[in-house]
């Protein structure tokens, strides 16, 4: 069963590499923010998968903090792009 | 044996929906459609991955009685709630910022936000 979780983590890493294509070639700034937001969500999913694979609870605690901090970062960049700062 | 199959099906749904979200980012024409694909698909896929984790933790707790699996399941529930709320709010903020920075949707005919001002 452990190999399945590691396999899912590897597949999600490959998806992050695909999202990086949009992050680098995005024609405008909001496109890059969209790609960055998806990378954050996939990173949280990878952390949960690794927590199961290694049987450690601390990985999930890191994932909670990462999810909330990436939300704050996304809001901040969105406010900056909208010209409200 | 049936539960292993169920876990595998949940994982497959999660991975496929995450992959569809990334394909949507790469293929769709403008910011709003990309945002639509990305937010819905990755949130839905991650919810299903978390459901697979719940099922795995529950089965292991019932078979071994180890309290660590209960901790893992509850922490995953907290991640799931945080992700479900913050993804929706974040996508709304990005769409608002994209409109305010002057981007129009592709092939847009009517702009009711512009007419309201």
């Amino acid at each position: 069963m452990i190999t399945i979780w590691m396999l899912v983590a590897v597949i999600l890493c490959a998806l992050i590499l695909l999202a990086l294509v949009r992050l680098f070639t995005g024609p405008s700034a909001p496109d890059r923010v969209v790609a960055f937001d998806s990378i954050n969500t996939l990173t949280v999913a990878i952390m949960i998968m690794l927590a199961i694979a290694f049987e450690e609870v601390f990985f999930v605690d890191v994932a909670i903090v990462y999810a909330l901090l990436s939300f704050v970062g996304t809001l901040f960049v969105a406010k900056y792009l909208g010209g409200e700062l | 044996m049936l539960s292993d199959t169920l876990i595998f099906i949940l994982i497959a749904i999660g991975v496929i929906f995450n992959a569809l979200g990334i394909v949507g980012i790469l293929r769709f024409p403008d910011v709003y459609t990309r945002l639509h694909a990305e937010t819905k698909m990755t949130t839905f896929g991650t919810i299903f991955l978390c459901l697979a984790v719940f099922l795995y933790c529950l089965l292991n707790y019932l078979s071994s009685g180890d309290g660590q699996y209960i901790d893992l399941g509850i922490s995953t529930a907290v991640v799931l709630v945080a992700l479900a709320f913050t993804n929706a709010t974040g996508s709304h903020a990005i769409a608002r910022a994209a409109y305010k920075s002057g981007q129009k949707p592709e092939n847009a005919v009517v702009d009711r936000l512009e007419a309201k001002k």
Side-chain angles (χ1 to χ4, degrees), chain B residues 52-106:
Chain B
V53 171
F54 284 152
L55 195 55
Y56 179 76
C57 288
L58 186 64
L59 290 173
N60 268 323
Y61 177 70
L62 289 183
S63 67
S64 73
D66 194 356
Q68 182 193 7
Y69 291 108
I70 294 295
D71 288 348
L72 204 54
I74 291 176
S75 302
T76 311
V78 174
V79 172
L80 189 56
V81 170
L83 211 59
F85 281 103
T86 59
N87 259 344
T89 317
S91 74
H92 174 249
I94 294 170
R96 191 163 170 270
Y99 185 81
K100 282 200 169 191
S101 68
Q103 289 218 4
K104 292 281 182 284
E106 193 111 338

Side-chain angles (χ1 to χ4, degrees), chain A residues 4-5 8 11-12 15 18 22 28 31 34 38 41-42 44 48 52 55 60 64 71 75 78 81 84, chain B residues 11 15 18 22 25-26 31 34-35 38 46 53 56 68-69 72 75 79 86-87 93 96-97 100-101 103:
Chain A
I4 286 184
W5 306 105
V8 173
I11 292 174
L12 292 179
L15 291 181
L18 280 178
R22 178 55 70 191
S28 66
D31 288 315
V34 170
S38 73
T41 309
L42 289 178
V44 172
I48 295 173
I52 293 289
E55 308 257 332
V60 188
I64 295 171
F71 169 61
L75 278 190
L81 286 179
E84 298 174 48
Chain B
I11 286 177
V15 170
N18 275 327
I22 301 302
I25 286 182
L26 291 176
V31 179
R34 277 174 200 150
L35 194 60
E38 181 265 316
T46 311
V53 171
Y56 179 76
Q68 182 193 7
Y69 291 108
L72 204 54
S75 302
V79 172
T86 59
N87 259 344
R96 191 163 170 270
K100 282 200 169 191
S101 68
Q103 289 218 4

Side-chain angles (χ1 to χ4, degrees), chain A residues 11-72:
Chain A
I11 292 174
L12 292 179
C13 285
L15 291 181
I16 281 183
L17 287 181
L18 280 178
L20 278 178
V21 174
R22 178 55 70 191
L23 186 69
F24 281 117
T25 66
S28 66
D31 288 315
R32 297 170 202 264
V33 182
V34 170
F36 186 62
D37 200 28
S38 73
I39 288 175
N40 286 331
T41 309
L42 289 178
T43 307
V44 172
I46 286 176
M47 283 179 187
I48 295 173
M49 291 300 118
L50 289 182
I52 293 289
F54 292 122
E55 308 257 332
E56 286 282 346
V57 188
F58 300 109
F59 280 60
V60 188
D61 297 337
V62 176
I64 295 171
V65 177
Y66 187 84
L68 295 176
L69 282 183
S70 72
F71 169 61
V72 174

